[in-house]
Amino acid sequence: MSDSFRIGRLFGITIRVHYLVVVLLGLMLLLNLGRLAVVAYLLLCPIVLLHELGHSLVARRFGIEVIDITFWPLGGMARMRQIPEDSRIEGLIAIAGPAVNFALALLAAPFTLLTGGILWEIAMTFVVINLLMGGFNLIPAFPMDGGRLLRAWLGRRGDWLAATERAVRVGRTMAVGMFVVTLLPGQPFFLSPMLPLIAMFVWWTGRQELLAVRLRHGQRTINIGPFTFVVPDAESEPRDVRARDVPRPPAHPGPDRGRPTTPGGFSPEELRRLERFRGRLGQFPGGDGAPR
Ligand SMILES: [Zn+2]
């Protein structure tokens, strides 16, 4: 990744910062947005990191490798190796981030009562940021945390592809909603540029994840402009090919037929063709190369 740089490691996870975050911070200082904005931004970084660590450490408990955590303008992103299609695992990983935010808000709440002046300002900002971040991430706009919870719930009976399709549809509706909200008058200054960007993120990454799940489930898709079409009956193709193309073992396999054979009577070339359609083949039961 060349669009971010490494700043360190925490719990064995590489932490990276996207260059746009530095640009954004520079802009804030340049535009002189005021003390509260800078305090909020500086408080935001460790809070985002803790939120992502919440996701990451729960994922690791399930044996999922966390590649890295990156700060980028819309928050943080923990990249993980493939998460299993399991409602419990996906649900627990997704809820862990917002749960960290609500726990932090709860921990800091007493300070808003006991302090005054600048300390009160910081404590209050900290609580509000955590409540907002936890709450906002629970919006069911897949692939945001709330959307992942929705998919986990929809996929609880095991149909992960259908669950993803539905979660992505809900996410797209939410994304359109975010655009519409931006057009309403009287937006807070930080919402109007953020919401359309988050809406685009939801739309784009939701689509990417849906394509990945479709592919994993043997569905092929074609893309025409912004539209994606599932190639009908894609799953039947390997079956047809198998009926037509898969070679039968010779009646009397063996070295005497003038070509190398493997257990089961298939030549290495035939095995390679089989594996192309059927995936990696296991050992033939009882196969020892002897003619049967
Ligand atoms: Zn999250």
Side-chain angles (χ1 to χ4, degrees):
M1 270 172 83
S2 54
D3 49 3
S4 64
F5 58 92
R6 193 191 135 126
I7 54 165
R9 250 172 115 75
L10 218 59
F11 299 102
I13 300 167
T14 303
I15 314 293
R16 307 182 68 92
V17 174
H18 198 283
Y19 287 113
L20 280 175
V21 171
V22 183
V23 173
L24 207 68
L25 192 59
L27 269 177
M28 283 180 77
L29 290 173
L30 214 69
L31 294 174
N32 199 12
L33 287 182
R35 191 173 62 183
L36 199 66
V38 176
V39 168
Y41 197 84
L42 290 178
L43 282 177
L44 212 58
C45 293
I47 296 173
V48 165
L49 184 61
L50 289 171
H51 175 108
E52 296 304 325
L53 276 175
H55 291 307
S56 304
L57 295 181
V58 170
R60 257 211 327 222
R61 279 197 71 87
F62 289 109
I64 298 159
E65 186 198 341
V66 180
I67 304 163
D68 53 25
I69 293 175
T70 304
F71 286 103
W72 69 303
L74 293 181
M77 184 126 60
R79 288 196 305 152
M80 298 168 193
R81 296 260 178 246
Q82 195 164 308
I83 299 170
E85 298 185 349
D86 181 300
S87 281
R88 198 174 82 90
I89 296 177
E90 166 133 300
L92 286 173
I93 294 174
I95 196 74
V100 166
N101 290 126
F102 294 132
L104 288 174
L106 209 63
L107 281 174
F111 291 94
T112 63
L113 302 172
L114 301 172
T115 55
I118 179 75
L119 279 179
W120 179 86
E121 218 170 83
I122 292 173
M124 203 60 195
T125 312
F126 185 84
V127 169
V128 170
I129 287 176
N130 272 297
L131 290 179
L132 283 178
M133 196 185 290
F136 187 76
N137 275 288
L138 285 177
I139 292 176
F142 186 86
M144 285 171 57
D145 297 336
R148 291 192 180 281
L149 281 174
L150 176 68
R151 174 171 73 172
W153 185 74
L154 291 172
R156 67 198 182 282
R157 295 197 217 288
D159 193 346
W160 207 249
L161 179 58
T164 309
E165 305 255 7
R166 285 178 68 190
V168 166
R169 262 203 302 278
V170 173
R172 285 178 177 174
T173 312
M174 292 285 166
V176 172
M178 287 180 201
F179 264 115
V180 172
V181 166
T182 317
L183 299 176
L184 300 175
Q187 291 298 310
F189 74 96
F190 58 91
L191 262 192
S192 31
M194 286 289 276
L195 271 186
L197 289 176
I198 293 171
M200 283 194 289
F201 164 81
V202 164
W203 191 285
W204 176 251
T205 49
R207 180 172 179 272
Q208 295 300 102
E209 286 228 13
L210 178 57
L211 290 185
V213 174
R214 278 178 177 159
L215 208 64
R216 222 183 300 145
H217 285 254
Q219 273 195 354
R220 283 206 234 139
T221 51
I222 44 169
N223 303 316
I224 299 170
F227 303 105
T228 303
F229 300 95
V230 176
V231 179
D233 214 11
E235 267 178 318
S236 70
E237 198 198 321
R239 219 171 302 141
D240 296 339
V241 171
R242 187 174 59 204
R244 204 173 57 238
D245 276 355
V246 168
R248 288 189 188 84
H252 302 287
D256 57 322
R257 285 180 62 89
R259 56 177 189 160
T261 55
T262 53
F266 295 100
S267 74
E269 170 58 22
E270 286 167 340
L271 273 184
R272 268 197 296 279
R273 283 169 64 192
L274 263 174
E275 285 184 337
R276 239 192 355 253
F277 297 121
R278 307 278 331 265
R280 184 112 195 103
L281 295 169
Q283 276 291 324
F284 285 83
D288 56 0
R292 277 181 277 173

